[in-house]
Amino acid sequence: MANSTLTRQRSEALGSTVALKSAMAVTGVILVLFLIAHMYGNLNAFAGQEAFDTYSHHLRELGEPMLPHGGFLWIMRVVLLASVLIHTYAAVALWRRAGRARPVRYQVTKRVQRSYSSYTMRYGGIMIALFTVFHVLHLTTNTIHPGGRSESPYERMVAGFQPEFWYVTLFYVAAVIAVGFHLRHGIWSALATLGINRQSRQRSLNIIATVIAAALTIGFLLTPLSVTFGLVE
């Protein structure tokens, strides 16, 4: 009986709103740190093919000899996948819980806020998920290869964003903008969840969230657009 009660209490604690919001905040931080590192890697394209391919190759050697070749990347992939799954589960659970808790329709101002949150977090999240699958198949596994297959990450990237494949670039741009809006709202929500978003700090934190989201958005757009417009060849 005692064990059953303890198990139920643990389950309720893990499923509480506070626990779900905390899980979203922590996994969100992990994903933002990954995006910053990934953006840095992408910007190596401006240093040329050798620099970009060398960076990609070194990622597979990190941790050697303690880790096997490519071991660090697999650890990172597992952590990222777990973070995405936990983040998504918490988001869906909180969304469904909020819907059950508010049977009365929002007033006009509340509907505007809800609409912004819905499009940036829920629908934007769906677009990001679809894009992530395409992005991995395109630039990681080389399964989808507009412009032709290549063992060089640099050549795959340059070939894939050529002007004739404008639809690939357009999809990339739309997805990155969705990431930017998602980040803007997500950083703000995470700061509130972690107790940092106090009244006296709201203006500063609003600026911080906007700057981080804008910097990542611009950073990720620079490379594909530079290839499309002939600045990177």
Side-chain angles (χ1 to χ4, degrees):
M1 184 67 178
N3 289 336
S4 177
T5 301
L6 182 60
T7 301
R8 187 176 68 256
Q9 289 175 343
R10 286 177 177 174
S11 178
E12 290 174 353
L14 290 173
S16 68
T17 298
V18 173
L20 290 171
K21 287 185 175 181
S22 297
M24 282 196 70
V26 172
T27 54
V29 169
I30 292 173
L31 294 172
V32 168
L33 292 176
F34 165 74
L35 287 174
I36 293 172
H38 189 28
M39 181 186 70
Y40 165 78
N42 286 357
L43 294 177
N44 276 277
F46 291 98
Q49 179 173 355
E50 183 178 355
F52 190 87
D53 286 349
T54 298
Y55 167 80
S56 300
H57 179 72
H58 283 168
L59 286 177
R60 289 162 174 75
E61 296 179 335
L62 282 175
E64 292 183 358
M66 294 183 65
L67 294 174
H69 185 74
F72 172 80
L73 281 179
W74 278 108
I75 293 173
M76 184 178 68
R77 287 164 182 159
V78 170
V79 171
L80 287 173
L81 179 60
S83 297
V84 169
L85 293 176
I86 294 170
H87 196 82
T88 303
Y89 169 79
V92 172
L94 288 169
W95 169 63
R96 294 181 63 183
R97 188 169 298 178
R100 290 194 300 266
R102 298 190 182 98
V104 180
R105 294 180 66 86
Y106 280 85
Q107 295 177 353
V108 174
T109 55
K110 293 293 185 180
R111 282 203 302 270
V112 171
Q113 292 173 357
R114 184 180 65 177
S115 176
Y116 171 76
S117 176
S118 295
Y119 280 98
T120 58
M121 303 305 286
R122 188 158 67 244
Y123 303 119
I126 294 172
M127 174 179 276
I128 294 166
L130 293 174
F131 169 73
T132 300
V133 173
F134 173 80
H135 187 62
V136 170
L137 293 175
H138 176 203
L139 295 176
T140 302
T141 66
N142 205 13
T143 305
I144 299 174
H145 35 79
R149 294 178 62 91
S150 175
E151 294 303 315
S152 164
Y154 181 88
E155 290 179 357
R156 290 200 297 270
M157 178 195 64
V158 171
F161 292 119
Q162 289 300 306
E164 58 266 33
F165 303 116
W166 58 268
Y167 48 89
V168 174
T169 304
L170 183 62
F171 182 37
Y172 191 98
V173 169
V176 168
I177 291 174
V179 169
F181 279 110
H182 195 92
L183 279 172
R184 167 64 186 80
H185 187 76
I187 292 170
W188 178 262
S189 299
L191 292 173
T193 299
L194 297 173
I196 302 173
N197 192 358
R198 298 178 183 175
Q199 186 68 31
S200 60
R201 302 175 181 170
Q202 284 192 358
R203 185 173 181 276
S204 298
L205 295 177
N206 180 48
I207 293 173
I208 291 172
T210 302
V211 168
I212 293 174
L216 283 168
T217 301
I218 294 170
F220 274 107
L221 290 179
L222 279 175
T223 304
L225 291 179
S226 294
V227 172
T228 299
F229 291 103
L231 300 177
V232 172
E233 299 178 351

PDB file of all heavy atoms in Angstrom, residues 31 58 66 71 85 102 110 115 122 133 147 158 182 189-190 192 213:
ATOM      1  N   LEU A  31      18.550  22.796 -26.247  1.00  0.00           N
ATOM      2  CA  LEU A  31      18.350  22.976 -27.687  1.00  0.00           C
ATOM      3  C   LEU A  31      18.898  24.320 -28.172  1.00  0.00           C
ATOM      4  O   LEU A  31      19.459  24.406 -29.271  1.00  0.00           O
ATOM      5  CB  LEU A  31      16.865  22.849 -28.024  1.00  0.00           C
ATOM      6  CG  LEU A  31      16.270  21.452 -27.786  1.00  0.00           C
ATOM      7  CD1 LEU A  31      14.758  21.465 -27.961  1.00  0.00           C
ATOM      8  CD2 LEU A  31      16.902  20.428 -28.728  1.00  0.00           C
ATOM      9  N   HIS A  58      36.243  17.125 -37.748  1.00  0.00           N
ATOM     10  CA  HIS A  58      36.709  17.156 -36.361  1.00  0.00           C
ATOM     11  C   HIS A  58      35.597  16.806 -35.379  1.00  0.00           C
ATOM     12  O   HIS A  58      35.869  16.295 -34.284  1.00  0.00           O
ATOM     13  CB  HIS A  58      37.287  18.529 -36.029  1.00  0.00           C
ATOM     14  CG  HIS A  58      38.664  18.734 -36.596  1.00  0.00           C
ATOM     15  ND1 HIS A  58      39.285  19.972 -36.623  1.00  0.00           N
ATOM     16  CD2 HIS A  58      39.549  17.862 -37.158  1.00  0.00           C
ATOM     17  CE1 HIS A  58      40.487  19.843 -37.176  1.00  0.00           C
ATOM     18  NE2 HIS A  58      40.661  18.580 -37.504  1.00  0.00           N
ATOM     19  N   MET A  66      39.089   8.131 -25.982  1.00  0.00           N
ATOM     20  CA  MET A  66      38.160   7.639 -24.961  1.00  0.00           C
ATOM     21  C   MET A  66      36.832   7.233 -25.588  1.00  0.00           C
ATOM     22  O   MET A  66      36.152   6.315 -25.094  1.00  0.00           O
ATOM     23  CB  MET A  66      37.946   8.707 -23.892  1.00  0.00           C
ATOM     24  CG  MET A  66      39.190   9.018 -23.066  1.00  0.00           C
ATOM     25  SD  MET A  66      38.848  10.217 -21.759  1.00  0.00           S
ATOM     26  CE  MET A  66      37.705   9.280 -20.739  1.00  0.00           C
ATOM     27  N   GLY A  71      31.706   8.869 -31.819  1.00  0.00           N
ATOM     28  CA  GLY A  71      30.985   8.608 -30.572  1.00  0.00           C
ATOM     29  C   GLY A  71      30.358   9.851 -29.976  1.00  0.00           C
ATOM     30  O   GLY A  71      29.223   9.818 -29.478  1.00  0.00           O
ATOM     31  N   LEU A  85      11.960  15.078 -27.603  1.00  0.00           N
ATOM     32  CA  LEU A  85      10.804  14.281 -27.201  1.00  0.00           C
ATOM     33  C   LEU A  85      10.199  14.773 -25.891  1.00  0.00           C
ATOM     34  O   LEU A  85       8.977  14.906 -25.762  1.00  0.00           O
ATOM     35  CB  LEU A  85      11.202  12.807 -27.083  1.00  0.00           C
ATOM     36  CG  LEU A  85      11.576  12.117 -28.395  1.00  0.00           C
ATOM     37  CD1 LEU A  85      12.047  10.688 -28.131  1.00  0.00           C
ATOM     38  CD2 LEU A  85      10.397  12.110 -29.360  1.00  0.00           C
ATOM     39  N   ARG A 102      -9.711  26.079 -19.383  1.00  0.00           N
ATOM     40  CA  ARG A 102     -10.318  27.329 -19.839  1.00  0.00           C
ATOM     41  C   ARG A 102     -11.455  27.042 -20.819  1.00  0.00           C
ATOM     42  O   ARG A 102     -11.316  27.226 -22.016  1.00  0.00           O
ATOM     43  CB  ARG A 102      -9.277  28.219 -20.533  1.00  0.00           C
ATOM     44  CG  ARG A 102      -8.135  28.656 -19.644  1.00  0.00           C
ATOM     45  CD  ARG A 102      -7.307  29.723 -20.356  1.00  0.00           C
ATOM     46  NE  ARG A 102      -6.186  30.131 -19.544  1.00  0.00           N
ATOM     47  CZ  ARG A 102      -4.948  29.671 -19.685  1.00  0.00           C
ATOM     48  NH1 ARG A 102      -4.690  28.777 -20.601  1.00  0.00           N
ATOM     49  NH2 ARG A 102      -3.963  30.114 -18.912  1.00  0.00           N
ATOM     50  N   LYS A 110      -6.968  38.452 -24.910  1.00  0.00           N
ATOM     51  CA  LYS A 110      -6.489  37.119 -24.583  1.00  0.00           C
ATOM     52  C   LYS A 110      -6.378  36.262 -25.840  1.00  0.00           C
ATOM     53  O   LYS A 110      -5.476  35.449 -25.980  1.00  0.00           O
ATOM     54  CB  LYS A 110      -7.435  36.434 -23.574  1.00  0.00           C
ATOM     55  CG  LYS A 110      -7.446  37.087 -22.201  1.00  0.00           C
ATOM     56  CD  LYS A 110      -6.102  36.906 -21.501  1.00  0.00           C
ATOM     57  CE  LYS A 110      -6.142  37.443 -20.076  1.00  0.00           C
ATOM     58  NZ  LYS A 110      -4.856  37.265 -19.391  1.00  0.00           N
ATOM     59  N   SER A 115      -3.330  33.423 -29.803  1.00  0.00           N
ATOM     60  CA  SER A 115      -3.021  33.203 -31.209  1.00  0.00           C
ATOM     61  C   SER A 115      -1.523  33.277 -31.449  1.00  0.00           C
ATOM     62  O   SER A 115      -0.939  32.449 -32.150  1.00  0.00           O
ATOM     63  CB  SER A 115      -3.748  34.244 -32.067  1.00  0.00           C
ATOM     64  OG  SER A 115      -3.387  34.102 -33.417  1.00  0.00           O
ATOM     65  N   ARG A 122       3.023  26.079 -31.200  1.00  0.00           N
ATOM     66  CA  ARG A 122       2.420  24.831 -31.639  1.00  0.00           C
ATOM     67  C   ARG A 122       2.626  24.605 -33.134  1.00  0.00           C
ATOM     68  O   ARG A 122       3.270  23.641 -33.540  1.00  0.00           O
ATOM     69  CB  ARG A 122       0.935  24.825 -31.279  1.00  0.00           C
ATOM     70  CG  ARG A 122       0.275  23.491 -31.531  1.00  0.00           C
ATOM     71  CD  ARG A 122      -0.986  23.344 -30.700  1.00  0.00           C
ATOM     72  NE  ARG A 122      -2.027  24.262 -31.114  1.00  0.00           N
ATOM     73  CZ  ARG A 122      -2.522  25.228 -30.360  1.00  0.00           C
ATOM     74  NH1 ARG A 122      -2.029  25.432 -29.152  1.00  0.00           N
ATOM     75  NH2 ARG A 122      -3.498  26.012 -30.789  1.00  0.00           N
ATOM     76  N   VAL A 133      13.579  16.890 -40.005  1.00  0.00           N
ATOM     77  CA  VAL A 133      13.681  15.603 -40.709  1.00  0.00           C
ATOM     78  C   VAL A 133      14.303  15.816 -42.093  1.00  0.00           C
ATOM     79  O   VAL A 133      15.231  15.104 -42.493  1.00  0.00           O
ATOM     80  CB  VAL A 133      12.293  14.948 -40.842  1.00  0.00           C
ATOM     81  CG1 VAL A 133      12.375  13.692 -41.716  1.00  0.00           C
ATOM     82  CG2 VAL A 133      11.741  14.592 -39.465  1.00  0.00           C
ATOM     83  N   GLY A 147      20.896  18.754 -56.400  1.00  0.00           N
ATOM     84  CA  GLY A 147      22.205  19.189 -56.880  1.00  0.00           C
ATOM     85  C   GLY A 147      23.215  18.075 -56.967  1.00  0.00           C
ATOM     86  O   GLY A 147      24.320  18.275 -57.485  1.00  0.00           O
ATOM     87  N   VAL A 158      26.365  23.667 -50.690  1.00  0.00           N
ATOM     88  CA  VAL A 158      26.392  24.600 -51.821  1.00  0.00           C
ATOM     89  C   VAL A 158      25.489  24.105 -52.951  1.00  0.00           C
ATOM     90  O   VAL A 158      24.741  24.890 -53.549  1.00  0.00           O
ATOM     91  CB  VAL A 158      27.839  24.805 -52.320  1.00  0.00           C
ATOM     92  CG1 VAL A 158      27.847  25.589 -53.628  1.00  0.00           C
ATOM     93  CG2 VAL A 158      28.668  25.535 -51.259  1.00  0.00           C
ATOM     94  N   HIS A 182       9.657  30.867 -32.425  1.00  0.00           N
ATOM     95  CA  HIS A 182       9.574  29.852 -31.382  1.00  0.00           C
ATOM     96  C   HIS A 182      10.560  30.160 -30.254  1.00  0.00           C
ATOM     97  O   HIS A 182      10.225  30.068 -29.069  1.00  0.00           O
ATOM     98  CB  HIS A 182       9.885  28.481 -31.995  1.00  0.00           C
ATOM     99  CG  HIS A 182       9.489  27.323 -31.144  1.00  0.00           C
ATOM    100  ND1 HIS A 182       8.268  26.706 -31.232  1.00  0.00           N
ATOM    101  CD2 HIS A 182      10.170  26.656 -30.182  1.00  0.00           C
ATOM    102  CE1 HIS A 182       8.205  25.709 -30.367  1.00  0.00           C
ATOM    103  NE2 HIS A 182       9.357  25.654 -29.711  1.00  0.00           N
ATOM    104  N   SER A 189       9.254  32.348 -21.964  1.00  0.00           N
ATOM    105  CA  SER A 189       8.542  31.405 -21.102  1.00  0.00           C
ATOM    106  C   SER A 189       9.495  30.680 -20.162  1.00  0.00           C
ATOM    107  O   SER A 189       9.180  30.452 -18.990  1.00  0.00           O
ATOM    108  CB  SER A 189       7.778  30.384 -21.955  1.00  0.00           C
ATOM    109  OG  SER A 189       6.821  31.016 -22.759  1.00  0.00           O
ATOM    110  N   ALA A 190      10.681  30.309 -20.684  1.00  0.00           N
ATOM    111  CA  ALA A 190      11.660  29.603 -19.851  1.00  0.00           C
ATOM    112  C   ALA A 190      12.142  30.491 -18.710  1.00  0.00           C
ATOM    113  O   ALA A 190      12.298  30.035 -17.573  1.00  0.00           O
ATOM    114  CB  ALA A 190      12.840  29.151 -20.707  1.00  0.00           C
ATOM    115  N   ALA A 192      10.494  32.854 -17.311  1.00  0.00           N
ATOM    116  CA  ALA A 192       9.395  32.951 -16.342  1.00  0.00           C
ATOM    117  C   ALA A 192       9.329  31.693 -15.489  1.00  0.00           C
ATOM    118  O   ALA A 192       9.147  31.753 -14.270  1.00  0.00           O
ATOM    119  CB  ALA A 192       8.075  33.179 -17.076  1.00  0.00           C
ATOM    120  N   ALA A 213      17.010  35.454 -30.252  1.00  0.00           N
ATOM    121  CA  ALA A 213      16.218  34.871 -31.342  1.00  0.00           C
ATOM    122  C   ALA A 213      16.606  35.490 -32.685  1.00  0.00           C
ATOM    123  O   ALA A 213      16.763  34.783 -33.690  1.00  0.00           O
ATOM    124  CB  ALA A 213      14.729  35.078 -31.070  1.00  0.00           C
TER     125      ALA A 213
END
